[in-house]
Amino acid sequence: MRFLIFLLPALLAAQQLSILPASVELTHREARHQLIAEAVRGGYQQDLTRQAEWSSSNEAVAKVDAKGIVTPAGDGEAVITAVSSGAKATARVKVSGYAAPFTWSFSGHVIPVLTKMGCNQGACHGALAGKNGFKLTLRGYDPEVDYDTLTRQAAGRRVSLADPAASLLLKKATFALPHGGGKRFSTSMLEYRVIQEWIANGAKAPQANDPVVTGLEVYPKSAILKPGDEQQLVVRARYSDGRVQDVTRWTKFSSSSEGVALVDDSGRVKVTGAGEAAITLWYSSRVLYARVTSPFENQVSAADYQHFQPRNYIDELALTKWKSLKLAPSKSASDAAFLRRAYLDAAGILPTAEEVEIFLNDTAPDKRAGAIERLLRRDEYADYWAYKWSDLLLVSSRKLRPNAMWAFYHWIRDSVKENKPWDKFSREIFTGSGSSRENGALNYFVLHKDTVALAENVTQAFLGQRLTCARCHNHPLEKWTQTQYYQFANLFSRVGQKNGDRAGETVIYAKAAGDINHPRLLRPLAPTPLDGKSMPLDAAADRRMHFAEWLTSPDNEYFARNIVNRVWGSIMGRGLVDPIDDVRATNPASNEELFDAVVKDFVRGGFDIKRLIRTIMNSATYQLSSEANATNQADNIFYSKYIVKRLPAEVILDAMSHVTGVPTAFSGYPAGTRAMQLPDVRVQSRFLSVFGRPERIICDAGERSQDPSISQALHVINGDTLNKKLSAADGYVALFQRLGLSDSRVLEHLMLSAYGRYPAEEERKQMLDALNKARVSGTTSEAAKEARRQAMEDMVWAMLTSKEFLFNH
Amino acid sequence: MFRLDADRAVEFCDGLRRRDFLHAGTLPLLGLGLQQMFGLKALGAVDQKKKETNCILLMLVGGPSQLDTWDMKPNAPIEIRGPYKPIKTNVSGIEISENFPRMAKHADKYALVRSVYHTAAAVHDTGHQMMQTGRLFQGGVEHPHFGCVLGKLKGPKGDVPPHVLLPRPIGNTGGNMPHGQNAGFLGKMYDPFVLNADPADPNFRVPDMLPPDYLSALRVDRRKNWRELVDKEVSKFETSQDARLLDSTFHQAYTLMSSQKAREAFELHREPEKIREKYGMNRFGQSCLLARRMIEAGVRFVTINMFETVFDEITWDIHGSKPFSPISCYKDLVGPMFDMAYSSLLEDLHDRGLLSETMVVGFGEFGRTPKVNPAGGRDHWPQCWTVLMGGGPLKGGQVVGSSDDIGGFPKDNPVTPAMIAATVYKGLGIDLETELPGAQGRPIPLVDRGNEPMHQLFVG
């Protein structure tokens, strides 16, 4: 009996074999289907397709070869079996239409072949100008045009009905004739046969009622593998006539992260490292992805997760991901680390020495939540997030007159202050008309006067999508088509602008007419938000209203995902989707389930930004230490430790003012204005420029740089900004000396102010030693005082240029 | 208080010199560099026997039209050949556009590669990536710029950074911020030193190069030491690339400051006025002059971005209507600007005996449409364009590869960006078999297999 108990796990493990997909329909004699024999062992997937023994229960219905490819033999049903290491799995096959006449279709087969063989890629005949006088639509996005090109142009030589094999299309592609593109396929390949038979059958044109692809499926949808493993993917297309076919052979594959997994043309994945990769699939202008998870090589047990106390759904979902990757979360951050971090992430400021001391000595069990709450109510919170949205909406004096810029900025800041929900905020921009001075939001249109520029900025800022490629052809990476581009752009072709009565005032109104034409069709298309419903071309209603309704609908995933990702990334150090503003279908989140949940919660909560920030910051995940443990040294993606990040330029400058007690003077602004309160990025400041302040010219998160550079180092070593703050006669260093405070007390205060913590004993001793050695003896008391002050300045300089100061950790 | 004086060493009362203080602090840095060098020599990546070759890369942002510059087709129909006529150069059989008379006198110093093409999207960014790294940015992999690779493999020469970018990075050319300008997966440690100032500015100086008057050398040094004292090796920063980079930038800053030679290299005002005028008193001309000084000071690779955007500025991007440039600007502004600077640079390097060890490479991100468009300009055309390659071991005075009758497609010797990369690396003396450490330690070859350097360009 005991013997059997030992065997049981082995038996269970061995029996975890399945065939994917489990059920297959072959609806004509040319149909083929790749099957995969997938085992699950010890939590990992294993592709045993090539090792398994394949057999069919009825070879008169369906045959299967050693590679797991099923071919039809006659109408009926059969069972395919795969056997490997004693485990067995089955799949059902149904064959129909075997005897019926079958012809390859242009849209359904010829175009996919041309696409997979690369004929219509951007490098070749899919280029804007085609190649050698032969132009196809990029990746076959317009079969009707391609059909015309192939059958009517070039004196009909491309496709020869009388002698199919003599068709230029085939002779060139097989290199029977010289071909700049080389030999794309041989005469013995299926691809040749598809085209040749299509021609021989009369080269029938695409029909309006041809079945179209309505969606894709991929098997396995996700797999947990090890570096070195290989996994075959199978892709199926669902058609509007109900059929489901294996299109693996003609799918285009790519990996989102080659450091984790590579994929070849046949859909075979090879794992190269640890982490997660999305294998994106493209077929017939449809996209999908399969997820490959490659856990880190760690030994983890339940004990490694015990210290982590989930506080909300964020923690639960993060925990699930860590477990699947064999990452253990770091311990919780200390109170001191937490407080400084929270102040910086919520409001872009440092806590004062007093605030730190009070917090560290507070014994209330919920003091962290209390601190977060107080931060969210501060004016600086409003300044900080108004600045972020000003980055997003490109507020600057470059194109806006000063009072217009101020109107725009104030509207943004007031909205943050009153915690205006994000949908209401966005609607105010798109449904507003009238004076840009009365309604600062309307300055958004003044910045983007051109229809195309406006459409593209809207998608980038409010939807996190980059639509530009689709201006000229179907987007090669995304599902957006050129048609959709021009339907979308036409929503913005009637935004009228005229000068108002006062300087800097523009009046925005909806024009009664105006359209943007599709460049090839030479006519306007019905205005349609990306995945939404069209409105009639001749409708008199303000098109922006139609757009605004779609944009802010709770069902609009792009809208919610875009803003959630930006807020999340700002606080957590990396968006769930990276880059932070590239939230497209083929760039999945590092934790899709978590992202989904946060987005749903955000929408349910009424698009409340403050609530979102509160939820994130109160999670245990946010409050993890940034110190690695034995398992997560290499993780800077999955939040198993807090991601250390250099502070933005404005925050650093303000923080330096805070510690030294010397504000920065900004030309044209009242004394005491903090960098984070500036509405304009063109305010002169070498410090801000060199530390990466964005120019707010294009809506791209990459405009702001947070990388250290030699120029920055030179500026803090030799430039005036920091040096003058340190030596100012009315700064804290001078003040503390005048007050006669001891070096020890001064150091403690400064540490609390700059680092948010008390000095450690050893550290305090070393710094005091250094300061003592700098004392000058045997001189006048004036000289001695001067030397002491300079020494303290130098010590403060050292603190303010250290990593601990310049980073959020 | 002691004043710092770049011309004289300043002595303190105890006889020590200012520079000694700063040098003592930079020894660890030099030691680190040497260690790296030993390791890399063992890998065989650096060929000790070959003389070291440097490189100046001129990024002709906007994409010069091959038909209006260096691949003239005077016999093509008027709607193709455009408004300019060819002129002879000092090499028999080679003709270029009338807009470059000075360049025409130095045709022996550069080769024209007229058959360059790429097959990626016809936007600026792809060209910038491919022409500066040899590859397209995809799969999340940021490939490094040639200059950054060189910096990683050979390290700095003396106290100057190995790779300098003048004057600023390329910014908005449509769409996203351009890739291919920095060290990518090699790590930000190897990013170029960016000048971020306009050398044509009358008050041009590299900002913050020296401490202010009110800060003595003693204090500068004390601050440096105390920073190291205060900035503990906290383990939380170990896995942050940015944190490690911060320390490296301080080290490099101190190195630059302490080297008079390095600082003086940036001091353009030391050049005689007539030399400055010869290059042209504009941002590009002065950048070329500055690049020569950089090379003289030991910089290995200088990248010059002739322009930083194509919007609302006159550049090579001659679509013919706003916010882009008109075709006439090749005659009025951009042509002469390039002509003066490029020919002066070649001449200057040659006269100083530097040309034989300094490659000078110039290219845009694509060519332009053979057919003039309705606005009188030309649009993007990556199917065929001309690249200028000379200096170092590259043999000038020849045409490598040619285009068809209308300059639309390569006719023979088609050249891809990867082949240009291979040529640049070979010219720099780097073994093409070298593998770079990619993300997660994955080895990435310098250039993809099958991409040969252009052998015709190498003497002997």
Side-chain angles (χ1 to χ4, degrees), chain A residues 218-240:
Chain A
V218 64
Y219 299 90
K221 260 184 12 202
S222 64
I224 302 177
L225 303 164
K226 292 194 177 77
D229 278 354
E230 292 192 8
Q231 170 75 54
Q232 177 66 51
L233 295 176
V234 167
V235 181
R236 299 214 291 202
R238 287 191 307 274
Y239 293 84
S240 49

Side-chain angles (χ1 to χ4, degrees), chain A residues 180-416:
Chain A
K183 185 174 185 178
R184 304 311 297 177
F185 48 83
S186 69
T187 54
S188 60
M189 285 167 68
L190 173 63
E191 285 70 22
Y192 181 88
R193 196 156 67 78
V194 168
I195 299 178
Q196 196 259 357
E197 288 178 7
W198 168 74
I199 301 174
N201 244 298
K204 301 236 167 45
Q207 302 297 317
N209 57 3
D210 274 346
V212 292
V213 175
T214 55
L216 298 178
E217 298 168 359
V218 64
Y219 299 90
K221 260 184 12 202
S222 64
I224 302 177
L225 303 164
K226 292 194 177 77
D229 278 354
E230 292 192 8
Q231 170 75 54
Q232 177 66 51
L233 295 176
V234 167
V235 181
R236 299 214 291 202
R238 287 191 307 274
Y239 293 84
S240 49
D241 62 355
R243 285 178 305 132
V244 182
Q245 312 247 321
D246 178 353
V247 295
T248 313
R249 193 185 169 108
W250 295 329
T251 299
K252 287 205 171 263
F253 297 93
S254 69
S255 166
S256 70
S257 181
E258 298 195 341
V260 175
L262 297 167
V263 63
D264 69 16
D265 273 346
S266 69
R268 197 159 183 77
V269 175
K270 178 150 183 212
V271 181
T272 51
E276 280 198 347
I279 308 295
T280 47
L281 329 155
W282 189 102
Y283 178 79
S284 216
S285 289
R286 296 258 157 203
V287 294
L288 190 63
Y289 69 87
R291 183 194 306 180
V292 172
T293 304
S294 172
F296 290 79
E297 297 198 15
N298 291 320
Q299 299 291 336
V300 288
S301 69
D304 294 303
Y305 299 94
Q306 252 161 23
H307 66 277
F308 184 73
Q309 302 293 324
R311 276 200 227 117
N312 58 27
Y313 67 90
I314 290 177
D315 298 324
E316 308 280 4
L317 292 166
L319 184 59
T320 307
K321 177 65 72 180
W322 298 329
K323 286 182 170 166
S324 78
L325 286 167
K326 296 210 173 134
L327 289 170
S330 291
K331 59 186 199 295
S332 185
S334 67
D335 273 349
F338 162 77
L339 193 74
R340 186 178 191 266
R341 179 193 299 179
Y343 267 68
L344 288 167
D345 283 334
I349 57 175
L350 289 176
T352 62
E354 292 72 32
E355 284 168 339
V356 175
E357 288 198 282
I358 293 172
F359 184 79
L360 291 180
N361 291 313
D362 187 356
T363 51
D366 62 347
K367 66 178 178 181
R368 291 193 181 192
I372 291 170
E373 220 36 57
R374 283 191 300 280
L375 280 167
L376 297 178
R377 284 201 288 266
R378 290 179 75 132
D379 278 342
E380 294 95 334
Y381 161 83
D383 292 331
Y384 186 59
W385 292 90
Y387 202 95
K388 282 194 191 297
W389 307 142
S390 298
D391 271 354
L392 183 68
L393 298 177
L394 309 176
V395 178
S396 97
S397 61
R398 193 173 71 100
K399 280 190 182 171
L400 294 174
R401 299 280 293 273
N403 45 25
M405 178 193 74
W406 277 107
F408 201 8
Y409 174 75
H410 279 138
W411 170 76
I412 293 174
R413 194 181 181 285
D414 289 345
S415 302
V416 175

Side-chain angles (χ1 to χ4, degrees), chain B residues 56-95:
Chain B
I56 298 177
L57 168 56
L58 308 171
M59 287 299 295
L60 309 179
V61 179
S65 150
Q66 68 281 17
L67 286 146
D68 300 301
T69 55
W70 308 302
D71 191 8
M72 308 294 290
K73 305 285 174 185
N75 300 322
I78 178 68
E79 65 265 22
I80 302 237
R81 68 175 184 260
Y84 302 117
K85 299 196 171 21
I87 56 173
K88 291 195 190 326
T89 66
N90 68 339
V91 174
S92 138
I94 300 184
E95 293 188 347

